[in-house]
Amino acid sequence: MLLYVSILILVVLTLCFIIVVGVMRYNPWLSSDLAYLTNMTRLGIKLSRCETGKPAPYTIVDDFEKMAKKSPEKAFLIYEGRRYTYSEVNIIANKIANAAKRCGFKCGDKVALLFGNEPALIWTMIGFAKVGVTCALLNFNLRSQSLLHCLDVSEASTLVVGSGENQHASFKEILPELAKRKLVIWQQDSTGNFPDIVRALNKVDIPINEADDELDMPRDVRKGLKFRDPFVYVYTSGTTGMPKASRLSHKKMMAGGHMLRRCGVTNEDVFYITLPLYHVSALFIGLSNAITAGSTVVLRSKFSASHFWEDCLKYEVTVIFYIGELFRYLLATPLSPEEAENKVRLAVGNGLGGDIWAEVQNRFKINKIVEMYGATEANFGIMNTENKMGSVGRWSPLLAKLCPIELIKYSYESAQPVRDERGRCIKVKPGEPGLLVCPVSKLFPLEGYVGKKELTEKKMLRNVFEEGDVYFNSGDLLMRDKEYYLYFKDRLGDTFRWKGENVATTEVSQTICEIIDVLESNVYGVSVPGNYGKAGMASLILKANTVFAPQKVYDHVTGRLPNYAWPRFIRLPTTMDHTSTFKQMKSKLVQEGFDPCLVKDPLYVLDQKAKTYIPLDQEVYAKVTRGEIRL
């Protein structure tokens, strides 16, 4: 009998092994898929419990108050050498909440915040959230009409201005216009008090009872708050048109706060945030994860390449956040002992080019880089937790069945997706760039923009694969390889067409940056008289103590890129304009083009006869416009 049982067990185990091997052959990523789905299921259960909380949903505010009780003396913020404990920040936030409540603020109201990267922004945001008020996080780098536009879109009745110097120039510039808007303005000092209301516009008395104001607000103050109500408004960069305000709900903020658990983040970690807090990378990924994990945040007013690793070593930082060109600036700094001795083990962000990935990881000794893909207004996000160089993450067939993220063909002539004879979109093949789209559903809702519905509607694609379906249009081109890893290729607004081919500016830029003399490359398309489409032009920032080598650049780009992607023009500015989130600005460069009368920087044009780049002066410019130099 025992023999038969043993044989039966052996047969069952053998069958299980065969099944597992068969499944793994079909889906070799099964184990990581199951781990991902397990994490998402746990998160879904947690969010469901948060949503049904009484008398109001359990939000990031409740998590913060919980940490203030559990570890009151633990450092939450470190700013310019000053340490603020969880308890200290919670007390200041409570004072702001109580002051706001006595001034008539209630759940559902909106307030605009104009702060630099300073602790006051964090406790003010938390303080108003304790009352259920939505904060519009204004970009203090914006000026004049752009800043006023963001303020108007928020529908805020009150503007709170921080004590830092960063936003003062912007604030003073719009003061005359603010007077016409009947707006209540509070000026906050560095301690969280409001001693100096802007008296030129209004006078508001904010009574404070010190003893009571230090206590947490009762949760029933937020009664009526819904989990999908906005926690904050976060604005897009406005690289095309005016900035748009996106809703970042309490649910999304709470979900974001658990993203880095997959990377082993705990309350022992120290985060280093140099990115602006009004941006999702710092707020939605950085701050939210710090609060839910109970970690410490080292906050800096602005990014400094020369002090980056010095700070990391000084404060024993373990997690850093990056975006766009940030790592290129760090690579351009001289080698230092601090970058080798620091304790950073995890870097999280987006925009790390595949051309410098290995150099970043090797030079700075970072164990894990988590490259992410998402958008401020998107209803989905992808994470590369496997250190796959250059990838933003993997989306296997199993995950695609649960959330059918797709890459579809796109027409640059019509600026619309390509559709077949049935009017349906066409999926691209592996290795072919395509427009990334994600279904909009109850499981993946689109919170959309604040204001006119047509702003959100423009991001929708309808009848994509079936009648009546709705997809979010990311506006980004990605490529999927045969192992289902996704790679960011370009933004539709950046891609241009030359000689009947589509040129991805990101690919060209990364190729040029492989040249050792080049620190940064900004690629865009410019119009050339007598030519269809736009010719490629690259603005290059050279590394210190180097000179432009036309022959080297020509040999490099012609050896690594197809003819249509070769930059026809080179510009050598001394500085490069960026948004506050390190996105390269192109509009002014495109407008100036390659005209030596408009451009005072050195210019070069590609000469295919001479097989090099030659200086572009007024005489050569005339030849180009007359078609005498073949592009």
Side-chain angles (χ1 to χ4, degrees):
M1 183 66 181
L2 183 60
L3 177 63
Y4 288 123
V5 172
S6 300
I7 293 173
L8 181 60
I9 292 174
L10 182 61
V11 169
V12 171
L13 289 174
T14 302
L15 288 173
C16 290
F17 176 77
I18 293 172
I19 291 171
V20 169
V21 169
V23 171
M24 290 296 287
R25 175 173 291 183
Y26 170 72
N27 183 2
W29 316 279
L30 181 63
S31 59
S32 61
D33 283 353
L34 291 177
Y36 173 78
L37 292 173
T38 300
N39 286 331
M40 293 306 293
T41 300
R42 288 173 179 165
L43 177 58
I45 293 171
K46 178 176 179 59
L47 293 177
S48 179
R49 289 173 178 168
C50 291
E51 187 166 13
T52 55
K54 301 295 180 183
Y58 187 93
T59 69
I60 201 85
V61 169
D62 296 288
D63 258 353
F64 185 78
E65 291 179 350
K66 178 182 175 182
M67 279 305 306
K69 290 183 176 69
K70 181 181 177 182
S71 305
E73 300 307 313
K74 180 178 175 61
F76 170 49
L77 295 175
I78 300 176
Y79 180 74
E80 295 182 351
R82 166 79 156 88
R83 293 174 180 265
Y84 299 86
T85 66
Y86 271 88
S87 177
E88 285 179 285
V89 174
N90 191 48
I91 287 173
I92 298 173
N94 285 338
K95 291 180 179 181
I96 292 170
N98 281 284
K101 185 173 181 293
R102 279 195 293 274
C103 286
F105 282 96
K106 60 186 183 301
C107 190
D109 286 345
K110 289 98 177 174
V111 61
L113 306 184
L114 184 61
F115 286 76
N117 252 32
E118 53 186 302
L121 173 56
I122 296 174
W123 60 54
T124 303
M125 182 169 53
I126 294 174
F128 277 104
K130 286 172 178 276
V131 192
V133 173
T134 298
C135 293
L137 305 182
L138 302 180
N139 178 349
F140 60 81
N141 292 291
L142 295 178
R143 293 297 181 91
S144 189
Q145 293 305 313
S146 294
L147 183 56
L148 289 168
H149 163 79
C150 292
L151 184 59
D152 291 340
V153 167
S154 72
E155 298 181 344
S157 59
T158 300
L159 171 66
V160 184
V161 182
S163 62
E165 296 181 0
N166 289 326
Q167 73 280 1
H168 278 181
S170 300
F171 175 56
K172 289 178 180 178
E173 192 173 292
I174 63 172
L175 263 175
E177 285 295 325
L178 294 179
K180 303 174 184 177
R181 282 168 164 72
K182 298 180 180 178
L183 200 71
V184 175
I185 300 177
W186 294 1
Q187 181 85 50
Q188 185 181 160
D189 66 18
S190 60
T191 66
N193 293 318
F194 301 98
D196 188 21
I197 307 304
V198 182
R199 302 177 191 280
L201 303 184
N202 48 59
K203 175 69 169 71
V204 179
D205 292 320
I206 308 177
I208 293 179
N209 182 319
E210 293 290 345
D212 293 341
D213 285 354
E214 293 186 1
L215 303 176
D216 289 338
M217 300 283 291
R219 296 188 73 247
D220 58 12
V221 169
R222 299 191 289 277
K223 187 175 182 180
L225 180 74
K226 295 181 175 60
F227 207 30
R228 292 196 184 278
D229 285 346
F231 169 62
V232 292
Y233 293 157
V234 179
Y235 292 82
T236 61
S237 59
T239 50
T240 56
M242 285 291 194
K244 295 181 283 291
S246 298
R247 298 179 178 89
L248 180 58
S249 69
H250 291 276
K251 181 174 184 177
K252 196 170 181 178
M253 187 71 176
M254 182 65 82
H258 289 77
M259 290 172 63
L260 299 187
R261 296 295 175 89
R262 293 168 59 193
C263 306
V265 165
T266 70
N267 62 352
E268 296 297 318
D269 279 302
V270 178
F271 292 15
Y272 186 47
I273 296 181
T274 65
L275 305 175
L277 284 166
Y278 56 70
H279 188 265
V280 288
S281 292
L283 177 71
F284 172 58
I285 302 172
L287 187 64
S288 66
N289 278 277
I291 291 174
T292 56
S295 306
T296 298
V297 173
V298 178
L299 182 66
R300 192 175 178 89
S301 60
K302 62 180 179 179
F303 168 75
S304 168
S306 59
H307 291 93
F308 193 92
W309 297 113
E310 177 186 311
D311 284 349
C312 288
L313 181 62
K314 179 179 179 180
Y315 297 112
E316 300 185 325
V317 170
T318 58
V319 182
I320 62 176
F321 299 87
Y322 67 89
I323 194 170
E325 303 296 308
L326 186 147
F327 268 124
R328 293 194 190 275
Y329 300 140
L330 292 178
L331 288 174
T333 59
L335 290 170
S336 67
E338 290 85 359
E339 68 186 49
E341 297 171 7
N342 69 80
K343 296 182 178 180
V344 173
R345 63 175 181 82
L346 175 65
V348 184
N350 62 76
L352 175 58
D355 59 313
I356 61 170
W357 188 298
E359 185 180 1
V360 166
Q361 198 152 26
N362 294 333
R363 174 172 166 178
F364 302 131
K365 308 297 187 296
I366 301 172
N367 292 333
K368 190 170 188 126
I369 295 177
V370 177
E371 174 80 0
M372 310 177 77
Y373 172 81
T376 305
E377 68 276 29
N379 62 335
F380 68 99
I382 310 170
M383 293 174 61
N384 173 8
T385 59
E386 301 172 24
N387 260 340
K388 178 70 172 180
M389 195 172 296
S391 173
V392 297
R394 181 179 50 75
W395 207 250
S396 71
L398 176 59
L399 299 182
K401 286 186 180 299
L402 301 174
C403 177
I405 292 173
E406 296 291 353
L407 300 180
I408 60 176
K409 290 188 176 181
Y410 185 84
S411 168
Y412 296 88
E413 286 80 4
S414 65
Q416 294 293 329
V418 176
R419 294 181 182 260
D420 60 20
E421 64 279 359
R422 296 171 49 248
R424 301 293 179 254
C425 295
I426 303 169
K427 300 176 184 179
V428 300
K429 298 176 182 178
E432 183 182 353
L435 175 64
L436 180 64
V437 296
C438 178
V440 178
S441 62
K442 288 184 179 179
L443 190 60
F444 297 93
L446 186 65
E447 296 179 348
Y449 298 119
V450 179
K452 298 177 181 178
K453 289 184 178 180
E454 52 263 36
L455 293 175
T456 302
E457 184 61 32
K458 286 180 179 179
K459 299 296 291 183
M460 306 281 213
L461 289 175
R462 299 184 182 276
N463 305 320
V464 176
F465 300 114
E466 297 177 3
E467 187 68 25
D469 66 11
V470 182
Y471 278 70
F472 171 76
N473 178 358
S474 71
D476 291 325
L477 297 174
L478 277 77
M479 185 272 288
R480 179 191 287 120
D481 65 17
K482 292 182 179 180
E483 294 182 325
Y484 299 97
Y485 284 100
L486 293 165
Y487 301 82
F488 179 84
K489 302 308 279 185
D490 220 351
R491 290 184 175 84
L492 288 178
D494 292 347
T495 302
F496 59 89
R497 197 167 177 82
W498 178 250
K499 294 187 180 295
E501 299 285 351
N502 304 316
V503 181
T505 60
T506 303
E507 180 182 2
V508 177
S509 181
Q510 290 185 0
T511 300
I512 294 174
C513 282
E514 293 172 0
I515 303 171
I516 196 168
D517 297 339
V518 177
L519 172 62
E520 184 177 357
S521 170
N522 190 352
V523 177
Y524 46 95
V526 294
S527 299
V528 181
N531 287 269
Y532 174 75
K534 291 189 173 184
M537 186 165 183
S539 284
L540 307 182
I541 299 292
L542 302 179
K543 293 180 179 177
N545 302 318
T546 61
V547 295
F548 181 64
Q551 192 64 56
K552 181 193 290 188
V553 174
Y554 177 88
D555 292 343
H556 184 82
V557 298
T558 57
R560 297 186 178 233
L561 293 170
N563 182 293
Y564 62 83
W566 299 348
R568 265 50 187 182
F569 304 99
I570 300 289
R571 177 175 177 170
L572 301 176
T574 54
T575 60
M576 196 83 77
D577 290 334
H578 300 84
T579 68
S580 58
T581 52
F582 301 98
K583 291 180 183 177
Q584 294 173 332
M585 301 184 73
K586 302 176 187 279
S587 57
K588 185 179 179 182
L589 296 173
V590 172
Q591 290 171 6
E592 293 178 347
F594 59 97
D595 186 347
C597 291
L598 299 176
V599 180
K600 303 309 176 186
D601 302 321
L603 291 170
Y604 290 80
V605 62
L606 182 143
D607 188 327
Q608 296 195 52
K609 278 188 177 180
K611 295 186 177 181
T612 187
Y613 284 95
I614 62 173
L616 195 160
D617 55 18
Q618 197 61 49
E619 181 181 349
V620 175
Y621 173 77
K623 290 181 179 180
V624 172
T625 56
R626 290 197 300 264
E628 296 174 13
I629 293 181
R630 185 171 67 89
L631 296 178

